[in-house]
Amino acid sequence: MMESEATPLPLRVLELYSGIGGMHYALKESCITAEVVAAVDINTVANEVYKHNFPNTYLCPKTIEGMTVDEFDRLDFDMILMSPPCQPFTRIGSQKDVLDPRTKSFLYILDILPRLSKTPKYILLENVKGFETSVARDILIQTLESCRYIYQAFLLSPTSLGIPNSRLRYFLLAKLQPDAFCFQTSHQILEHFPDHENTDLKPTEGSSFTQTLSTDGNRKELNNSKYYADNSRSQTNVPQLYKLETPEHLKQKQIQNSNLSMQMIQDFLEEELQDPSPYFIPPKSLLRYALILDIVGQTCRRSVCFTKGYGHYVEGTGSVLKTASDVELSLVFQSFQTLSEDEQLTQLSKLKLRYFTPREIANLHGFPPEFSFPEKISLRQSYRLLGNSLNIHVVAKLIRLMVEQR
């Protein structure tokens, strides 16, 4: 009898800036044979959530720059998954780049990488759009080249996978030579997944995620947080324009909502909320921000990026949900500015606008049904942690692309 082929040993994965475990879940969804040997993060609240969901994973609650090269060597890892702090690179941040103290840990990683006793075979990095033009990114590339990595950068949004949520992020895959990627690399930043027949992902057990083909129409990030329209149904005619809305933005929304390769928002909603009251938008906020809210309906195929300020700040932090499916926005906002405040509030209340729940945002981000927050984590903390997290389905596919052989 022929000897059976040996089962490959699991890849040993180091999860840096582990947060609430988005990278860990992506690794599981990628279906590759791997185990997280250590997760490192100093955010005590995020660590509570991580331990709650991954009680058997070694979690190191210390600064990355506080770890010695010997400590890293003892972990004997084959892969690094990391999401360094994005604040130094965001367009609404200070954009201090490497002068920002929050880049210290990332620069330390790049400093010790050539000094590790075993150079990890794979590296995946996630950050915000803007990182690609940073000095930190230049140092990263110099380090990867000196350590003989081949690499590929991407700017991707979950819309590439038919998920109705715009969340454009920078990704970089690196693979130690002489191994090569299963796709043709380019010095350009790719804005779509490379075509490769062996990289289709299987959804995790119990996941409601259904992968769909990407199209040119959903590859681009459409940041429409300051505009709104009636998105509860596809329209071929240009409807009435409201204040702070342009025909161009309205057309973008119509294109998104008529894109049948995108799932509907309703596919990601909780079936029934036991107590919806914490999620309804307060009257004062409704009156102040009515004309700039990004309002989506259950049958919409779009939503804007959720940030860490969601649920606390209203403007530009994410879409809100119109739960009154039988009420048209056009009727509510007709002659809206000629009404008194009491009349405006009466009109707005017809829409039954609420925030998305943390579970619903987690669904849009690809977290599986078994993910949960500990009871002691507040609503505001949950929103903040999710706003700092990533889309699991996007990262899972990138992990698979990174590890797949030609």
Side-chain angles (χ1 to χ4, degrees), residues 258-269:
S258 61
N259 186 347
L260 299 183
S261 73
M262 303 290 288
Q263 292 179 267
M264 290 184 181
I265 289 293
Q266 64 189 14
D267 297 334
F268 300 85
L269 301 179

Side-chain angles (χ1 to χ4, degrees), residues 135-166:
V135 175
R137 190 261 183 189
D138 293 340
I139 298 173
L140 168 64
I141 297 303
Q142 292 167 12
T143 304
L144 293 175
E145 290 178 344
S146 68
C147 293
R148 300 191 68 252
Y149 282 94
I150 185 173
Y151 57 87
Q152 179 62 60
F154 300 84
L155 278 172
L156 297 170
S157 177
T159 52
S160 303
L161 295 176
I163 301 166
N165 180 239
S166 295

Side-chain angles (χ1 to χ4, degrees), residues 214-227:
S214 63
T215 65
D216 289 337
N218 62 33
R219 283 175 181 164
K220 297 181 180 179
E221 179 80 351
L222 299 175
N223 184 6
N224 304 324
S225 61
K226 290 183 179 290
Y227 306 91

Side-chain angles (χ1 to χ4, degrees), residues 11-23:
L11 290 170
R12 296 175 61 83
V13 179
L14 174 62
E15 188 181 8
L16 300 178
Y17 313 98
S18 49
I20 59 176
M23 287 288 189

Side-chain angles (χ1 to χ4, degrees), residues 278-296:
Y279 308 108
F280 284 113
I281 302 172
K284 186 177 179 180
S285 297
L286 273 180
L287 286 173
R288 182 174 181 181
Y289 298 105
L291 295 174
I292 56 175
L293 285 173
D294 185 79
I295 301 172
V296 296

Side-chain angles (χ1 to χ4, degrees), residues 85-123:
C86 63
Q87 294 90 342
F89 316 108
T90 57
R91 60 185 177 82
I92 59 173
S94 58
Q95 295 183 325
K96 290 184 178 179
D97 204 333
V98 293
L99 298 179
D100 192 309
R102 287 168 289 195
T103 61
K104 185 178 179 182
S105 58
F106 178 60
L107 296 176
Y108 178 72
I109 295 167
L110 299 184
D111 178 62
I112 68 168
L113 187 63
R115 297 189 280 126
L116 295 172
S117 61
K118 185 181 82 173
T119 308
K121 190 173 182 178
Y122 308 102
I123 297 174

Side-chain angles (χ1 to χ4, degrees), residues 234-235 253-262 301:
S234 176
Q235 300 178 358
K253 291 180 178 184
Q254 289 177 313
I255 291 172
Q256 288 175 305
N257 282 322
S258 61
N259 186 347
L260 299 183
S261 73
M262 303 290 288
R301 301 178 187 272

Side-chain angles (χ1 to χ4, degrees), residues 148-199:
R148 300 191 68 252
Y149 282 94
I150 185 173
Y151 57 87
Q152 179 62 60
F154 300 84
L155 278 172
L156 297 170
S157 177
T159 52
S160 303
L161 295 176
I163 301 166
N165 180 239
S166 295
R167 192 175 185 84
L168 188 65
R169 290 294 183 267
Y170 174 89
F171 298 93
L172 185 134
L173 306 181
K175 193 169 189 176
L176 196 62
Q177 298 184 71
D179 282 2
F181 289 119
C182 60
F183 56 89
Q184 186 67 42
T185 58
S186 166
H187 289 298
Q188 303 298 315
I189 298 176
L190 301 182
E191 296 185 10
H192 56 85
F193 289 102
D195 295 326
H196 182 65
E197 60 183 4
N198 295 323
T199 56

